[in-house]
Amino acid sequence: MPFQHVKDILSGKLNGNRRVKLRGWVYLKRDLGDLQFILLRDGTGVMQTVARKGVTNPEAFEKARKAAQESSLIIEGSLKKEKRAPGGFEVLIEKIEIVGSSDNYPLAKKSHGVEFLMDNRHLWLRSPKQRCILRVREGVVDAAREFFRREDFVEVHPPMLTSSMVEGGATLFQVKYFDRKAYLTQSSQLYLEALIFSLEKVWCLAPSFRAEKSRTRRHLTEYWHLEAEEAWYGNEENIKLQEKLVSFICNKVGENYQEELETFNIDPKRLCTVKPPFKRMRYEEAVSKLQRKGFNVKYGDDFGSREERALTIDIKKPLFVTNYPIEIKAFYMKEDPDNPGTVLCNDLLLPEGYGEVIGGSERETGYEKLVKRIREIGESVENYKWYLDLRKYGSIPHSGFGLGIERLIMWMLKLQHIREAIPFPRTPDRIYP
Amino acid sequence: MPFQHVKDILSGKLNGNRRVKLRGWVYLKRDLGDLQFILLRDGTGVMQTVARKGVTNPEAFEKARKAAQESSLIIEGSLKKEKRAPGGFEVLIEKIEIVGSSDNYPLAKKSHGVEFLMDNRHLWLRSPKQRCILRVREGVVDAAREFFRREDFVEVHPPMLTSSMVEGGATLFQVKYFDRKAYLTQSSQLYLEALIFSLEKVWCLAPSFRAEKSRTRRHLTEYWHLEAEEAWYGNEENIKLQEKLVSFICNKVGENYQEELETFNIDPKRLCTVKPPFKRMRYEEAVSKLQRKGFNVKYGDDFGSREERALTIDIKKPLFVTNYPIEIKAFYMKEDPDNPGTVLCNDLLLPEGYGEVIGGSERETGYEKLVKRIREIGESVENYKWYLDLRKYGSIPHSGFGLGIERLIMWMLKLQHIREAIPFPRTPDRIYP
């Protein structure tokens, strides 16, 4: 007899009053003496099963009694409708096999401290909430992929090990690469810029690394970075592409993951109603707004979590902040000819206090200007030789951006901390498990 | 007037005898005095354009004459059918704008040494052949994704930074992680094993790293690793899944990338006819075959590139080699109860001498057996604490495998060296560009 999945049974693909065979893990156990309830979870859902003394054969009843939380079981029995069971069905156990026992499951208690949960991340991932996050994460990535396919982008795979830096040397992880040093990439942007000269529009989803000691609720040392680079796009087209992408992802997840959203008490409307255009605010307006809110911030200061939180705590739609001062942004951003001293760039801030999820800009295309900027930040021009070649041989206007997918997921599901948005989070204090 | 893409014009979506506006790079230039031919490439294809003295206005003619290889241009003109042009169309230039000049393009000559090409990888990627490889690479990844979606696998994202090892410490890259040491992952398998207890069937495409000094034509220090892990699958089901996956990818690329395959003189049939079942051979048979071929190899020796080449040089279908001796395989592989001393594993070797592309196995599920194996290889059990938990709390039979996508691409396109199968290859001697 073949195995069935819980989801197929609960979705009505299989009718009631028939024999079923399930396999999975004991999610919850209720021992009422003559009644042994086992909530069995497989990769697709949770099914209530029950052994009744006097009805279930004694051997099976005894095994049901013994089966502890998270032991793995194979259960055969008859399916019947049962209003009081989650999903409306129940399996009356006839046969049961304990595949793998589970004594003293560490996460059996209802609540645990965060450090304990993180130490047991490999087990915590089994919980229904964590499973929902993993599924929504797949949905986010799938939606992004569909979006880029529709927009004629080519998916590429940039290198993780590099000999040069992108976002400044302070946050680089160093790797012993045989007899020399290498670094873990902070962004694939420079490589994507090379690739647009071949493929015009490219995107990637790949890890990026930041050796920042920030212990905030929105920083990881290793995160998955969705980056895109677009030949012939100006700053305005780049911003429009970003709001279209974020809306597309939100809408898709809102449509296709209603059950998962429910687990987090999220109304799908929250995601289905995200639509372009997003609001925009120039950096200087943002500074004024922060000053009015009592922040001790002046023109030329960069924004951190606190500032971004203040800018977005009261809004419901994502917000572009544009035209940052040239001094506080990366060397490759193009100066705005209409607003000298500022660059053609944007940060996209998520509402409700979540803050930055995307950084984007039009790229500087002039060879001499780039060399000047690289020198100004105290870098060696030699380190950027190959990158500068892109401005020597058929330079073109282009733009691009990078989105941190964990931050997007965090906002979509209103997670308290980014560490739950990735299966095995890495923070300054944690590389285990 | 909006821009058109070469592909849309050549595919007949646009009719001849009309005005077009193109942008791209000078792929090839022929200066015949009164006739200036420019082969213009964009991200989608190559179009012949021509300026004629006396017909084209003098200013545009002069710019066409000046436009050097790889300069970026915007060209407006009239499209007409021209049998002698590649693709059957030609554009008579009316207006031309040089967007970015290109003096002394380094790859202008027809042939270059490999090191020179690799030093200029950021430019070499513009060549039609390299662009084809990038597109086929996307096709391989897309096909894999479609396959796993159909098979109800969930896509996940494992960590790159780890505190433990998978394939042995000798090939680990070390990372300075704040005040301590971390390592770059060699395989995501252990993490995928944790995730099947939540999602049942999972897969990932992510970088893996091997600090091997192998300077062969099939080794990279950083490669993209497609890994899958399947709850409740035995060795046989695992092998069947692998041959189904590889066939699916080959068939899809064979169907959808005929133009790219043509560039490499590959008959799409080569890929469209790949079908399960693949041939199988037990390790001990493989040893005998090698001995008959004059190899100095005995039972218990591992196979390298030379041995795998000899085993596959004369065959046309992928070959599974199974039942390797337990001593030469990883600690997590399950011993074959019917053939003690060997493990329930397979390597999948590609034909025509290409060799290993997949390693797979059923995993050992017993806690005590795993502990024993970990001790035998001289590792600390403490390092594997979280992994061993998976055998303590509801252990289940499961299997999985890992496929190196660059090796698959290399074989599909008959590439001479793996370095062309990835945009920015990393080898012991190279982390630039």
Side-chain angles (χ1 to χ4, degrees):
Chain A
M1 182 182 181
F3 288 93
Q4 284 99 40
H5 273 115
V6 170
K7 192 182 177 183
D8 295 334
I9 297 172
L10 295 185
S11 66
K13 280 195 200 163
L14 301 167
N15 289 323
N17 300 317
R18 45 160 296 179
R19 254 184 104 71
V20 292
K21 196 171 171 188
L22 298 170
R23 54 188 171 187
W25 294 267
V26 178
Y27 166 52
L28 214 73
K29 181 69 193 297
R30 267 182 298 160
D31 180 343
L32 305 181
D34 290 354
L35 279 178
Q36 297 290 332
F37 286 102
I38 294 173
L39 288 184
L40 190 78
R41 64 167 185 85
D42 65 9
T44 68
V46 172
M47 173 66 78
Q48 179 167 307
T49 71
V50 62
R52 291 168 190 276
K53 196 157 202 169
V55 179
T56 308
N57 76 67
E59 192 198 351
F61 183 86
E62 193 49 28
K63 281 187 186 163
R65 206 182 57 77
K66 272 191 193 158
Q69 188 179 354
E70 286 303 319
S71 45
S72 46
L73 306 179
I74 293 175
I75 287 178
E76 273 186 71
S78 52
L79 181 71
K80 57 187 187 62
K81 289 191 176 162
E82 171 52 68
K83 273 189 196 162
R84 290 163 299 178
F89 286 94
E90 185 181 73
V91 173
L92 183 60
I93 297 171
E94 289 165 16
K95 267 167 101 176
I96 187 166
E97 181 192 336
I98 300 180
V99 179
S101 60
S102 171
D103 297 331
N104 304 315
Y105 184 63
L107 304 185
K109 276 197 312 171
K110 284 210 171 143
S111 83
H112 298 275
V114 166
E115 283 309 304
F116 185 80
L117 286 171
M118 292 308 301
D119 285 341
N120 288 286
R121 182 66 176 166
H122 54 296
L123 302 175
W124 187 22
L125 288 168
R126 301 182 184 190
S127 80
K129 271 208 171 183
Q130 298 303 317
R131 194 163 68 232
C132 283
I133 299 173
L134 293 169
R135 288 194 178 278
V136 166
R137 190 179 163 102
E138 184 188 50
V140 166
V141 168
D142 269 349
R145 225 166 250 142
E146 190 181 334
F147 176 82
F148 283 118
R149 188 175 302 121
R150 288 182 187 199
E151 299 280 333
D152 284 326
F153 281 66
V154 180
E155 186 177 357
V156 295
H157 300 100
M160 301 293 102
L161 291 164
T162 68
S163 47
S164 53
M165 51 202 70
V166 184
E167 300 288 348
T171 62
L172 277 174
F173 282 115
Q174 203 183 92
V175 182
K176 194 175 167 302
Y177 195 77
F178 305 103
D179 303 329
R180 41 183 170 156
K181 283 178 199 168
Y183 304 97
L184 292 179
T185 188
Q186 300 163 299
S187 158
S188 300
Q189 178 194 319
L190 307 192
Y191 292 99
L192 297 193
E193 285 189 65
L195 284 160
I196 60 166
F197 290 80
S198 178
L199 299 164
E200 279 199 26
K201 294 194 286 187
V202 298
W203 76 284
C204 69
L205 177 65
S208 277
F209 304 86
R210 302 280 165 107
E212 279 180 270
K213 280 216 169 172
S214 309
R215 286 178 183 80
T216 75
R217 65 189 187 96
R218 57 171 209 168
H219 278 90
L220 294 166
T221 54
E222 175 186 323
Y223 64 103
W224 284 71
H225 206 174
L226 190 163
E227 296 181 90
E229 197 72 26
E230 315 109 29
W232 308 104
Y233 274 46
N235 190 51
E236 182 59 29
E237 290 159 295
N238 189 41
I239 287 178
K240 289 219 166 86
L241 186 74
Q242 292 166 50
E243 60 191 7
K244 205 170 156 189
L245 166 69
V246 170
S247 302
F248 188 86
I249 294 174
C250 289
N251 299 169
K252 279 277 166 186
V253 171
E255 285 161 26
N256 301 332
Y257 290 84
Q258 307 208 348
E259 204 183 308
E260 286 79 4
L261 293 173
E262 216 169 85
T263 306
F264 287 87
N265 291 315
I266 308 272
D267 185 343
K269 263 194 213 149
R270 170 183 162 81
L271 300 178
C272 291
T273 53
V274 178
K275 297 268 179 258
F278 296 167
K279 288 241 183 285
R280 300 192 194 184
M281 182 184 279
R282 295 165 56 89
Y283 166 84
E284 59 184 350
E285 295 172 59
V287 170
S288 303
K289 189 173 171 185
L290 286 167
Q291 286 168 343
R292 283 196 304 276
K293 285 189 172 226
F295 276 77
N296 182 18
V297 57
K298 59 182 191 305
Y299 191 95
D301 290 346
D302 206 355
F303 300 155
S305 308
R306 280 183 61 243
E307 288 79 11
E308 290 177 11
R309 186 177 157 77
L311 288 171
T312 57
I313 192 74
D314 298 325
I315 59 174
K316 292 284 166 200
K317 267 197 128 165
L319 171 72
F320 285 112
V321 180
T322 66
N323 284 91
Y324 282 77
I326 197 163
E327 296 80 17
I328 59 171
K329 284 291 180 186
F331 72 91
Y332 48 72
M333 295 189 182
K334 189 182 173 79
E335 190 165 7
D336 185 349
D338 298 329
N339 299 277
T342 75
V343 278
L344 290 167
C345 76
N346 68 271
D347 280 0
L348 179 63
L349 311 186
L350 291 172
E352 297 156 338
Y354 281 84
E356 187 190 351
V357 66
I358 292 183
S361 70
E362 187 170 336
R363 318 307 191 186
E364 177 55 59
T365 52
Y367 182 86
E368 291 304 337
K369 279 189 189 162
L370 262 185
V371 166
K372 187 165 165 281
R373 294 287 299 277
I374 289 169
R375 289 202 174 116
E376 277 168 7
I377 59 168
E379 281 294 329
S380 144
V381 171
E382 187 54 30
N383 280 347
Y384 293 90
K385 188 182 168 303
W386 71 262
Y387 180 67
L388 287 164
D389 274 357
L390 308 179
R391 273 63 175 178
K392 262 166 103 167
Y393 306 111
S395 189
I396 53 162
H398 63 289
S399 301
F401 63 90
L403 178 157
I405 69 160
E406 289 80 13
R407 289 195 174 173
L408 184 59
I409 294 165
M410 187 182 168
W411 169 72
M412 289 170 93
L413 297 179
K414 295 190 183 181
L415 303 179
Q416 284 304 306
H417 198 291
I418 198 165
R419 64 184 157 232
E420 290 187 49
I422 188 166
F424 295 93
R426 300 301 185 232
T427 57
D429 301 318
R430 179 168 295 282
I431 39 173
Y432 177 94
Chain B
M1 183 181 181
F3 288 95
Q4 284 99 41
H5 272 116
V6 170
K7 193 181 177 186
D8 295 333
I9 297 172
L10 294 185
S11 67
K13 279 194 202 165
L14 300 167
N15 289 323
N17 299 319
R18 44 160 295 178
R19 253 184 106 70
V20 291
K21 194 171 171 186
L22 299 170
R23 54 189 172 187
W25 294 266
V26 178
Y27 166 53
L28 214 73
K29 182 68 193 299
R30 265 182 301 158
D31 180 344
L32 305 181
D34 289 355
L35 278 177
Q36 297 291 331
F37 286 102
I38 294 173
L39 288 184
L40 190 78
R41 66 169 183 82
D42 65 10
T44 68
V46 172
M47 172 65 77
Q48 178 167 308
T49 70
V50 61
R52 291 169 190 274
K53 196 155 200 170
V55 179
T56 308
N57 75 66
E59 193 198 353
F61 183 85
E62 192 51 26
K63 281 188 187 164
R65 207 181 57 77
K66 272 190 190 159
Q69 189 178 353
E70 285 305 318
S71 44
S72 46
L73 306 179
I74 294 175
I75 287 177
E76 272 186 72
S78 51
L79 181 71
K80 57 186 187 64
K81 288 192 177 165
E82 170 54 67
K83 274 188 197 163
R84 291 163 298 179
F89 285 95
E90 185 180 75
V91 173
L92 183 60
I93 296 170
E94 288 164 18
K95 266 166 102 174
I96 186 165
E97 180 191 337
I98 300 180
V99 179
S101 60
S102 171
D103 295 331
N104 304 315
Y105 184 63
L107 304 184
K109 275 198 312 172
K110 283 212 172 141
S111 84
H112 298 277
V114 165
E115 283 309 303
F116 184 79
L117 286 171
M118 291 307 300
D119 284 341
N120 288 285
R121 182 66 176 166
H122 55 294
L123 303 175
W124 187 22
L125 288 168
R126 301 183 184 189
S127 80
K129 270 206 172 184
Q130 298 303 316
R131 194 163 68 231
C132 283
I133 298 173
L134 292 169
R135 288 195 176 277
V136 166
R137 188 179 165 104
E138 183 188 51
V140 165
V141 169
D142 269 348
R145 224 165 252 143
E146 189 180 336
F147 176 83
F148 283 117
R149 189 175 301 122
R150 288 183 186 199
E151 299 279 334
D152 284 326
F153 281 66
V154 180
E155 186 176 358
V156 296
H157 300 99
M160 301 293 102
L161 291 164
T162 69
S163 46
S164 53
M165 49 200 72
V166 184
E167 300 288 348
T171 61
L172 277 175
F173 282 115
Q174 204 183 92
V175 181
K176 194 173 166 306
Y177 194 77
F178 304 104
D179 303 329
R180 40 183 172 157
K181 283 178 196 166
Y183 304 97
L184 292 179
T185 188
Q186 300 164 301
S187 157
S188 301
Q189 179 194 320
L190 306 193
Y191 293 98
L192 297 192
E193 285 189 64
L195 284 160
I196 60 167
F197 290 81
S198 178
L199 300 165
E200 279 199 29
K201 295 195 287 189
V202 298
W203 76 285
C204 69
L205 177 65
S208 277
F209 304 86
R210 303 279 164 107
E212 280 182 90
K213 280 218 168 172
S214 309
R215 287 180 181 80
T216 74
R217 65 188 187 96
R218 58 172 208 167
H219 278 91
L220 293 166
T221 54
E222 175 186 323
Y223 64 104
W224 284 71
H225 206 173
L226 190 162
E227 294 182 271
E229 197 72 26
E230 314 109 31
W232 308 106
Y233 274 46
N235 190 51
E236 182 60 29
E237 290 158 296
N238 188 42
I239 287 178
K240 290 219 165 86
L241 186 73
Q242 291 166 50
E243 60 191 8
K244 208 171 153 189
L245 167 69
V246 170
S247 302
F248 188 86
I249 294 174
C250 289
N251 299 169
K252 279 280 166 183
V253 172
E255 285 160 27
N256 301 332
Y257 290 84
Q258 307 207 349
E259 204 183 307
E260 285 79 5
L261 293 172
E262 215 170 85
T263 306
F264 287 87
N265 291 315
I266 308 272
D267 185 343
K269 264 193 211 149
R270 168 182 162 82
L271 300 178
C272 290
T273 53
V274 178
K275 296 268 179 258
F278 295 167
K279 289 241 183 281
R280 299 192 194 185
M281 182 184 278
R282 296 166 57 86
Y283 166 85
E284 60 183 347
E285 296 172 60
V287 170
S288 302
K289 190 173 170 185
L290 287 167
Q291 287 169 342
R292 284 196 305 275
K293 285 190 172 223
F295 276 77
N296 182 19
V297 57
K298 59 183 190 308
Y299 191 93
D301 291 346
D302 206 355
F303 300 155
S305 308
R306 280 184 60 243
E307 288 79 11
E308 290 177 11
R309 185 177 158 78
L311 288 170
T312 57
I313 192 75
D314 299 325
I315 60 174
K316 292 282 166 202
K317 265 197 128 163
L319 170 73
F320 285 112
V321 180
T322 66
N323 284 92
Y324 282 77
I326 196 164
E327 297 81 14
I328 59 171
K329 283 292 180 186
F331 72 92
Y332 49 71
M333 294 187 181
K334 190 181 172 79
E335 190 166 8
D336 185 349
D338 298 329
N339 299 277
T342 74
V343 278
L344 290 167
C345 76
N346 67 270
D347 280 359
L348 179 63
L349 311 186
L350 291 171
E352 299 156 337
Y354 280 84
E356 187 190 351
V357 67
I358 293 184
S361 71
E362 188 170 336
R363 317 306 192 188
E364 177 55 59
T365 53
Y367 182 86
E368 291 303 336
K369 279 189 188 162
L370 261 185
V371 167
K372 187 165 165 281
R373 294 287 299 280
I374 290 169
R375 290 204 173 113
E376 278 168 7
I377 59 168
E379 281 294 330
S380 145
V381 172
E382 187 55 30
N383 280 347
Y384 293 90
K385 189 183 167 302
W386 72 263
Y387 181 67
L388 287 163
D389 274 356
L390 308 179
R391 274 63 176 178
K392 262 166 104 170
Y393 306 112
S395 188
I396 53 161
H398 63 288
S399 302
F401 63 88
L403 177 157
I405 70 159
E406 288 81 12
R407 287 194 176 173
L408 184 60
I409 294 164
M410 188 183 167
W411 170 71
M412 290 169 94
L413 296 180
K414 295 191 182 180
L415 302 180
Q416 285 303 305
H417 197 292
I418 198 165
R419 65 184 156 231
E420 291 186 50
I422 188 166
F424 293 93
R426 300 301 184 232
T427 56
D429 301 319
R430 177 169 296 282
I431 40 172
Y432 177 95

